[in-house]
Amino acid sequence: MKIMVYEARQDELAELEAHGRTLGVELTLAEEVPSLDTAQLAEGCQGVSILGQGRINGALLDAWYALGVRYLSTRTVGYDHIDLEHAKKLGIRVCNAAYDPNGVADFTVMMILMCLRHYKQALWRGQVNDFSLNGLQGREMKDLTIGIIGSGRIGAQVIRNLSGFGCRILAYDLRRNPEVEGMAEYVTFEELLEQSDVISLHMPLLDSNRHMIDRETIARMKDSVVLINCSRGELMDIEALVEGVESQKIGTLGMDTSEGEEGIIHGDHRVDILPNRNWFYLHQFRNVIMTQHMAFYTDAAVASMVRCGIRGIWEMAHGQNCATELMK
Ligand code: COI
């Protein structure tokens, strides 16, 4: 069988080739992001594998279906970029990735610590031999309450990681995870907002939680709250974040994902003009750390993403159980 692999990065090539060889699958690799303009690349392929930068809407799925595509894998855990209902209507089967949560959880703790210790400013100063301490006094985790929104695989691993720091840990989720019960205290969403010094989001993006962090929820938080987002940018309303940083209600913002990041992240834009005022306005603050959606990016996760992406399609196409198939 043939699989068209979009958004293929150099660091994925060895794993892609190895899985293609092992399974006897012919892979066509392209750096292009999937869109109607690049749909034609999938001609003659039963399977398409993508990452997270394209919007996989009805029109694109129709175009792929017409070209013979019947299986789609996203080499990402999140699948909010895919119109799953439309795929189901067409009969295109879809699977995602299920890499271990450790990489993102490690990165989240790093982001919390960098925010608490004003590390962006310290790093900037070091570039010009300014080693002063003024304005860099931090806070210790043991004195803080850290609120984790979402206690699924990643949220639970963040809680596990944090449990060694001596902080009080609060958790909010619609479903309780028994694995975190002894380490975190489940509270209501409002209690978490009101009591936490640091709030970190670990939710999948759904229609129901888009902009769950907005003007009203920020207003309920403690003054100088530290807000962390290593899950999906659109969980936070970027306009409300701008206002929160300007008013200093938000003390520090650490975002590996942010609303409007498409077309910015994972690219070198040194010579580009990027018309995205909110994103770049936030980016320039000394107390706002924005990374390029890289929390996932470890050797172990990339190997697993490629494996799920290629093997998942192969399993669905060969009548085998695909553990990461969506809408089974
Ligand atoms: C995910 O796996 O959901 C990610 O956020 C990773 C990224 C390549 C989009």
Side-chain angles (χ1 to χ4, degrees):
M1 74 177 297
K2 290 186 181 175
I3 300 179
M4 173 65 215
V5 182
Y6 287 90
E7 302 175 79
R9 293 187 316 263
Q10 282 298 320
D11 56 271
E12 294 183 300
L13 297 188
E15 285 285 337
L16 282 166
E17 276 157 19
H19 286 290
R21 216 178 310 115
T22 309
L23 298 170
V25 173
E26 194 183 318
L27 302 179
T28 307
L29 310 182
E31 285 179 10
E32 273 80 0
V33 169
S35 70
L36 274 182
D37 291 338
T38 60
Q40 203 63 29
L41 290 171
E43 187 163 19
C45 295
Q46 281 171 278
V48 160
S49 181
I50 59 171
L51 280 168
Q53 298 236 39
R55 295 298 102 196
I56 315 303
N57 55 23
L60 178 52
L61 288 164
D62 288 342
W64 276 339
Y65 189 85
L67 292 170
V69 173
R70 297 294 179 267
Y71 306 98
L72 171 65
S73 72
T74 180
R75 306 189 300 286
T76 61
V77 171
Y79 46 84
D80 50 277
H81 53 307
I82 304 173
D83 184 343
L84 284 183
E85 286 309 313
H86 198 82
K88 190 172 185 176
K89 228 176 349 177
L90 290 174
I92 295 182
R93 289 169 66 188
V94 185
C95 67
N96 69 340
Y99 52 89
D100 286 337
N102 303 66
V104 176
D106 290 358
F107 195 94
T108 301
V109 174
M110 178 187 77
M111 193 68 111
I112 294 173
L113 286 167
M114 290 208 310
C115 287
L116 289 173
R117 305 307 291 269
H118 308 295
Y119 196 64
K120 178 175 178 180
Q121 174 81 168
L123 195 65
W124 277 0
R125 289 187 195 181
Q127 308 295 317
V128 291
N129 283 358
D130 174 356
F131 304 113
S132 60
L133 288 174
N134 180 34
L136 299 184
Q137 192 171 68
R139 284 182 289 171
E140 298 184 14
M141 295 257 238
K142 71 166 176 30
D143 300 325
L144 302 178
T145 297
I146 304 198
I148 305 297
I149 300 181
S151 59
R153 291 176 77 226
I154 298 175
Q157 187 56 42
V158 172
I159 290 170
R160 242 174 251 122
N161 288 356
L162 287 176
S163 63
F165 284 93
C167 45
R168 177 177 176 231
I169 308 175
L170 303 180
Y172 165 74
D173 206 323
L174 295 176
R175 259 195 320 195
R176 287 177 179 228
N177 180 351
E179 285 178 33
V180 309
E181 295 270 9
M183 292 178 281
E185 182 190 333
Y186 276 100
V187 290
T188 64
F189 184 50
E190 289 70 27
E191 285 168 335
L192 186 141
L193 297 178
E194 286 160 11
Q195 294 177 31
S196 301
D197 301 290
V198 177
I199 296 177
S200 187
L201 298 179
H202 300 285
M203 296 279 221
L205 177 66
L206 308 166
D207 285 339
S208 55
N209 63 16
R210 194 175 302 270
H211 289 182
M212 70 190 297
I213 302 303
D214 60 9
R215 283 185 187 89
E216 277 110 71
T217 45
I218 291 173
R220 294 188 86 124
M221 294 174 192
K222 282 189 166 184
D223 290 343
S224 302
V225 64
V226 174
L227 266 184
I228 307 289
N229 189 357
C230 294
S231 46
R232 280 294 178 269
E234 287 171 61
L235 294 170
M236 294 175 152
D237 175 358
I238 197 161
E239 297 269 358
L241 295 180
V242 166
E243 285 172 22
V245 172
E246 282 177 338
S247 68
Q248 299 184 36
K249 175 76 182 175
I250 297 175
T252 317
L253 188 55
M255 297 196 291
D256 185 52
T257 59
S258 37
E259 190 167 37
E261 70 183 13
E262 300 80 19
I264 298 177
I265 57 160
H266 303 177
D268 177 350
H269 301 293
R270 275 177 291 187
V271 294
D272 298 337
I273 301 289
L274 295 174
N276 192 330
R277 292 184 196 184
N278 280 338
W279 202 94
F280 284 98
Y281 179 62
L282 272 181
H283 186 251
Q284 52 80 37
F285 283 104
R286 65 162 173 74
N287 56 341
V288 176
I289 301 176
M290 287 161 88
T291 48
Q292 54 266 57
H293 203 141
M294 60 175 289
F296 76 98
Y297 194 46
T298 65
D299 50 356
V302 170
S304 171
M305 289 159 98
V306 171
R307 184 181 181 285
C308 290
I310 304 307
R311 187 167 282 274
I313 289 181
W314 185 88
E315 286 167 348
M316 292 191 290
H318 288 81
Q320 298 204 7
N321 178 46
C322 167
T324 56
E325 183 170 356
L326 303 165
M327 317 174 294
K328 265 198 224 178

